[in-house]
Amino acid sequence: NAGVTQTPKFQVLKTGQSMTLQCAQDMNHNSMYWYRQDPGMGLRLIYYSASEGTTDKGEVPNGYNVSRLNKREFSLRLESAAPSQTSVYFCASSEASREYFGPGTRLTVL
Amino acid sequence: GEDVEQSLFLSVREGDSSVINCTYTDSSSTYLYWYKQEPGAGLQLLTYIFSNMDMKQDQRLTVLLNKKDKHLSLRIADTQTGDSAIYFCAERPGNTGKLIFGQGTTLQVKP
């Protein structure tokens, strides 16, 4: 099992560009999450999906959209990137109250 | 509301015990977690405790939960340089699938 995988690992964007962060899990979990991590602020939930076909806003959803393409995949889209979205992005999936995290995507917006 | 607080930094000498503290606000939390993050890596679940327990021990790790004061602590016995990392406390409020994280405590272990 690969667990939770994320692509890309690193990305640099210019302000206004768009991109999609990909996440996939092979553990057959229903729930998937997107977090961002900023220094001194811990992880903050952007969006989550409790099951295939459903998505809900987390604490900091503005500027992002998500798609739960199927049970395995949950993508995060930045339509018009801003410097404030420079962060490390983590995808996670969970079952039975245990969360499994991907390795993260380090995004810089210039 | 939902809020988790941790001190930001702890420095200990190798071989000493480390105690990392956390307070949370949501009394409906059913599970409380400790995660470890090494530099440049994702989060690794260290241990968790169910809210009806006071203590959980797992090798060098001891978790203490004071539900009345909403206080959680992680004790690492015989701390090693490999324990240097950021440690996150997290709660899962009842009836939600969401994890609420603290800001993280950076543990520095000096040889």
Side-chain angles (χ1 to χ4, degrees):
Chain A
N1 280 357
V4 180
T5 56
Q6 292 182 236
T7 54
K9 284 191 184 325
F10 300 95
Q11 184 71 51
V12 179
L13 292 177
K14 293 182 180 174
T15 296
Q17 286 186 313
S18 62
M19 79 160 293
T20 300
L21 281 63
Q22 307 286 354
C23 173
Q25 51 94 7
D26 61 2
M27 296 172 281
N28 204 36
H29 290 166
N30 283 317
S31 299
M32 296 186 74
Y33 309 82
W34 275 105
Y35 293 90
R36 61 178 287 173
Q37 183 180 23
D38 301 295
M41 298 189 75
L43 273 76
R44 293 181 293 168
L45 183 65
I46 305 170
Y47 270 94
Y48 67 103
S49 169
S51 62
E52 185 179 350
T54 69
T55 61
D56 286 288
K57 293 179 182 179
E59 185 185 350
V60 288
N62 291 346
Y64 305 95
N65 286 302
V66 289
S67 295
R68 184 74 183 268
L69 304 167
N70 47 55
K71 195 170 187 181
R72 287 190 66 247
E73 298 171 290
F74 188 38
S75 62
L76 178 73
R77 183 158 178 84
L78 287 72
E79 289 291 352
S80 179
S84 61
Q85 294 178 304
T86 293
S87 189
V88 181
Y89 291 85
F90 288 101
C91 177
S93 68
S94 75
E95 198 71 51
S97 295
R98 177 174 171 168
E99 223 108 322
Y100 295 80
F101 284 84
T105 295
R106 190 172 293 273
L107 176 67
T108 302
V109 183
L110 302 175
Chain B
E2 304 158 345
D3 196 18
V4 179
E5 297 281 338
Q6 299 177 239
S7 54
L8 293 182
F9 187 77
L10 175 66
S11 179
V12 301
R13 293 230 170 259
E14 194 173 15
D16 288 350
S17 291
S18 308
V19 179
I20 302 172
N21 294 303
C22 168
T23 57
Y24 62 98
T25 55
D26 197 315
S27 58
S28 73
S29 289
T30 51
Y31 289 94
L32 295 134
Y33 302 81
W34 284 105
Y35 284 86
K36 177 183 180 183
Q37 184 181 35
E38 295 180 358
L43 273 74
Q44 170 198 353
L45 179 65
L46 273 183
T47 187
Y48 64 94
I49 188 166
F50 191 53
S51 59
N52 68 353
M53 298 169 65
D54 298 324
M55 183 181 89
K56 181 177 179 181
Q57 186 148 6
D58 183 1
Q59 299 182 328
R60 293 190 297 120
L61 305 179
T62 303
V63 178
L64 294 178
L65 175 60
N66 181 329
K67 204 173 176 186
K68 174 175 166 289
D69 294 337
K70 299 191 187 72
H71 182 267
L72 184 73
S73 67
L74 173 70
R75 179 176 181 269
I76 306 172
D78 187 25
T79 313
Q80 303 297 307
T81 54
D83 295 323
S84 293
I86 304 176
Y87 291 81
F88 291 95
C89 169
E91 64 170 342
R92 189 184 299 277
N95 301 323
T96 77
K98 299 182 288 185
L99 273 179
I100 309 295
F101 285 87
Q103 311 96 307
T105 299
T106 298
L107 175 63
Q108 178 189 67
V109 182
K110 296 180 182 175

